[in-house]
């Protein structure tokens, strides 16, 4: 197992999917939510860098935990390891990667991507099917990181995610059952 895969495995329940709790040791964390478009947004890399710098990580790791492809990548999904000082271009180059087996671009085909740092104290779970990103970190540190607003992205609590989820449920309203399960799993939210 590579270092990114090990770090993501230590921080996340990689077989879980929202609205389930996707973080391991979730009772140690608080959570904040925003739009999954953060993955490719101009400020997305800045959020990852802010988390890594706050926790003094020497690396930022990412692993695609769910992909559109029905083919297996020899049981290994694409992974990334970058230093926090890296440029956004290196991060975007990873997202723009096209697999040699003919699959589409990673940022389109990757449905769920998990990020953490070498400290494994924080994590960012991005679910493109639910159009939701979840940032988890110890409460006092999460507040510090989430205060760094990214243009066009507001961090909200689990009880305030209905507007973020609306596009993934359209034309139906957001499922009350989904919201209840999400709120129950992420009750200790940021706000």
């Amino acid at each position: 197992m590579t270092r990114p895969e090990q770090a993501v495995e230590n921080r996340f329940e990689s077989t879980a999917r929202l609205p389930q709790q996707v973080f391991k040791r979730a009772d140690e964390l608080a959570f904040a939510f925003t739009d999954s478009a953060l993955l490719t947004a101009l400020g997305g890399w800045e959020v990852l860098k802010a988390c890594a710098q706050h926790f003094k990580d020497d690396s930022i790791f990412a692993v695609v935990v769910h992909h559109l492809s029905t083919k297996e990548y020899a049981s290994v999904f694409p992974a990334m390891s970058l230093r926090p000082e890296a440029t956004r271009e290196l991060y975007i180059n990873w997202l723009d990667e096209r697999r040699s087996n003919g699959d589409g671009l990673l940022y389109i085909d990757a449905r769920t991507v998990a990020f953490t740092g070498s400290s494994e104290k924080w994590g960012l779970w991005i679910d493109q099917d639910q159009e939701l990103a979840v940032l988890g970190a110890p409460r006092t540190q999460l507040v510090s990181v989430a205060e760094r607003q990214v243009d066009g992205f507001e961090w909200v609590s689990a009880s305030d995610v209905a507007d973020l989820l609306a596009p993934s449920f359209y034309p139906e309203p957001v499922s009350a059952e989904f919201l209840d399960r999400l709120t129950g799993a992420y009750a200790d939210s940021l706000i």
Side-chain angles (χ1 to χ4, degrees):
M1 188 175 283
T2 67
R3 180 64 181 111
E5 291 168 331
Q6 185 63 59
V8 166
E9 182 66 27
N10 291 343
R11 179 74 274 174
F12 296 99
E13 295 289 350
S14 59
T15 59
R17 296 293 178 264
L18 297 176
Q20 294 171 302
Q21 178 55 260
V22 298
F23 289 84
K24 290 182 177 174
R25 301 177 313 281
D27 57 330
E28 302 171 0
L29 306 175
F31 306 99
F33 296 79
T34 196
D35 191 296
S36 66
L38 184 67
L39 180 67
T40 57
L42 188 57
W45 177 244
E46 293 305 315
V47 168
L48 294 169
K49 283 175 47 173
C51 289
Q53 290 165 351
H54 185 85
F55 290 100
K56 300 180 179 15
D57 293 320
D58 57 19
S59 296
I60 298 170
F61 302 126
V63 173
V64 174
V65 295
H66 180 234
H67 197 276
L68 279 179
S69 175
T70 56
K71 303 175 205 114
E72 293 292 325
Y73 300 125
S75 76
V76 177
F77 283 126
M80 174 198 80
S81 177
L82 287 176
R83 300 200 46 82
E85 305 82 35
T87 63
R88 180 176 182 270
E89 287 70 28
L90 289 174
Y91 170 66
I92 294 299
N93 286 345
W94 179 69
L95 289 174
D96 279 344
E97 181 181 323
R98 185 180 295 275
R99 302 294 295 193
S100 60
N101 62 3
D103 287 339
L105 297 173
L106 185 62
Y107 76 92
I108 294 170
D109 286 356
R111 305 321 300 153
T112 308
V113 184
F115 296 89
T116 191
S118 52
S119 68
E120 300 174 12
K121 292 182 180 177
W122 62 276
L124 179 65
W125 180 272
I126 298 182
D127 182 328
Q128 295 201 95
D129 290 332
Q130 299 300 333
E131 301 189 38
L132 202 58
V134 186
L135 177 61
R139 178 174 293 283
T140 55
Q141 287 88 355
L142 180 64
V143 170
S144 298
V145 172
E147 283 176 348
R148 299 181 186 192
Q149 290 296 317
V150 178
D151 289 341
F153 295 89
E154 179 182 355
W155 294 105
V156 300
S157 69
S159 59
D160 294 323
V161 298
D163 287 344
L164 293 172
L165 288 167
S168 64
F169 282 86
Y170 183 83
E172 300 298 320
V174 176
S175 162
E177 178 188 352
F178 187 95
L179 286 174
D180 288 347
R181 289 180 61 205
L182 188 75
T183 304
Y186 295 90
D188 192 13
S189 293
L190 171 66
I191 300 169

